[in-house]
């Protein structure tokens, strides 16, 4: 099986203006919360709410800046080659740990199906777990509360196929390639909208690929992630 060539990450200088706007918007609640706390006129319950706002916005900013750093690395010709191997079950466990809070808060039902035997895939453990977490996070966000999400992995002839499906509204056929591009002016509620573009680039960097179609069982989107076996 020939490894797919790595598609260049999209680039548009206008996106920098959008990036500045998005990051500034995330700072507004932080500024308001710290200003209210500084005045010292809040009761205990209001203080807890302001501290929770600071924690939430800080986490969002960290995620957004991590995406920017990964995006810059993907654009760079000096991006390091990915090497090593990771156990599939460990990769899945790490990815689930990154989305567990959001999954529980949304009340989704998650079904995980993995091969019974030990399976290892080639790539960097941190990058691969983050890649899978991006797909799971996408499923969580675009599935109505109390919906269903499926994570299935199977051993193919020369690779591992990981499927992430959801019971959301799905993605129209004409939009299925566009979602992997640069989302100028289309940042989502939880970040910069780079998540799927970075996920595909990471998959290809590891010698695999990432595609999307519709899941016949759950009715929503179905992401097909292929990764080479170690």
């Amino acid at each position: 099986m020939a490894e797919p060539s790595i598609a260049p990450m999209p680039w548009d200088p206008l996106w920098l203006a959008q990036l500045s706007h998005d990051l500034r918007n995330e700072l507004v609640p932080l500024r308001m919360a710290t200003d209210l706390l500084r005045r010292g006129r809040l009761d205990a319950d209001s203080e807890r709410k302001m501290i929770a706002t600071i924690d939430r916005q800080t986490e969002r900013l960290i995620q957004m800046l991590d995406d920017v750093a990964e995006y810059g690395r993907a654009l760079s010709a000096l991006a390091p080659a990915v090497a090593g191997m990771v156990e599939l079950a460990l990769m899945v466990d790490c990815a689930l740990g990154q989305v567990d809070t959001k999954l529980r808060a949304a009340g989704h039902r998650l079904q995980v199906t993995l091969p019974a035997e030990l399976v290892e895939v080639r790539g960097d453990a941190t990058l691969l777990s983050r890649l899978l977490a991006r797909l799971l996070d996408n499923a969580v966000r675009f599935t109505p509360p109390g919906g269903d999400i499926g994570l299935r992995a199977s051993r193919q002839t020369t690779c591992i196929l990981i499927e992430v499906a959801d019971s959301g509204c799905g993605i129209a056929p004409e939009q299925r390639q566009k979602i992997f591009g640069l989302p100028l002016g289309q940042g989502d509620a939880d970040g910069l909208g780079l998540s799927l573009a970075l996920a595909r680039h990471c998959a290809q960097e590891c010698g695999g690929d990432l595609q999307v179609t519709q899941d016949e069982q759950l009715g929503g989107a179905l992401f097909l992630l292929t990764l080479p076996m170690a």
Side-chain angles (χ1 to χ4, degrees):
M1 174 180 169
E3 294 182 354
S5 59
I6 301 176
M9 287 293 288
W11 168 249
D12 188 329
L14 292 177
W15 185 71
L16 288 176
Q18 181 67 36
L19 171 62
S20 175
H21 178 267
D22 290 344
L23 290 175
R24 186 179 296 274
N25 282 346
E26 295 299 323
L27 289 171
V28 172
L30 276 174
R31 183 66 180 269
M32 292 178 60
T34 54
D35 185 57
L36 289 171
L37 288 171
R38 187 182 299 112
R39 295 180 184 182
R41 299 177 183 176
L42 300 176
D43 56 33
D45 185 57
S46 296
E47 284 190 358
R48 285 193 293 270
K49 291 180 179 178
M50 291 302 101
I51 292 173
T53 295
I54 292 173
D55 286 341
R56 182 180 65 252
Q57 292 304 118
T58 300
E59 285 298 320
R60 284 166 60 88
L61 279 168
I62 290 173
Q63 180 61 59
M64 293 170 78
L65 291 173
D66 283 346
D67 283 355
V68 171
E70 189 171 341
Y71 180 58
R73 187 185 70 83
L75 285 172
S76 173
L78 300 178
V82 177
M85 58 185 181
V86 58
E87 185 181 342
L88 176 63
L90 177 60
M91 183 183 89
V92 170
D93 188 57
C94 291
L96 289 174
Q98 296 177 51
V99 300
D100 182 68
T101 300
K102 291 182 180 180
L103 189 69
R104 292 177 182 274
H108 295 327
R109 294 173 292 273
L110 173 68
Q111 183 174 1
V112 180
T113 305
L114 301 179
E117 69 274 16
L118 175 67
V119 176
E120 292 182 324
V121 295
R122 191 169 75 242
D124 178 82
T126 300
L127 290 179
L128 288 178
S129 62
R130 187 182 303 157
L131 186 169
L132 185 54
R134 290 185 188 280
L135 299 182
L136 290 167
D137 181 74
N138 184 78
V140 170
R141 288 190 289 111
F142 290 99
T143 299
D148 293 286
I149 295 175
L151 171 58
R152 309 182 290 263
S154 58
R155 189 169 187 162
Q156 307 296 302
T157 304
T158 59
C159 67
I160 295 297
L161 173 63
I162 300 175
E163 301 172 277
V164 177
D166 62 64
S167 59
C169 61
I171 303 169
E174 65 272 15
Q175 296 294 324
R176 290 175 185 171
Q177 293 306 311
K178 294 180 181 179
I179 63 172
F180 296 110
L182 188 64
L184 182 61
Q186 301 174 17
D188 56 55
D190 286 318
L192 300 174
L194 284 172
S195 188
L196 293 177
L198 291 171
R200 170 177 275 185
H201 185 271
C202 179
Q204 293 177 339
E205 191 179 27
C206 293
D209 199 11
L210 177 63
Q211 299 293 333
V212 64
T213 184
Q214 183 172 351
D215 187 68
E216 295 182 358
Q217 181 180 353
L218 297 181
L222 171 62
F223 284 86
L224 304 169
L225 170 63
T226 55
L227 294 171
M229 285 187 288

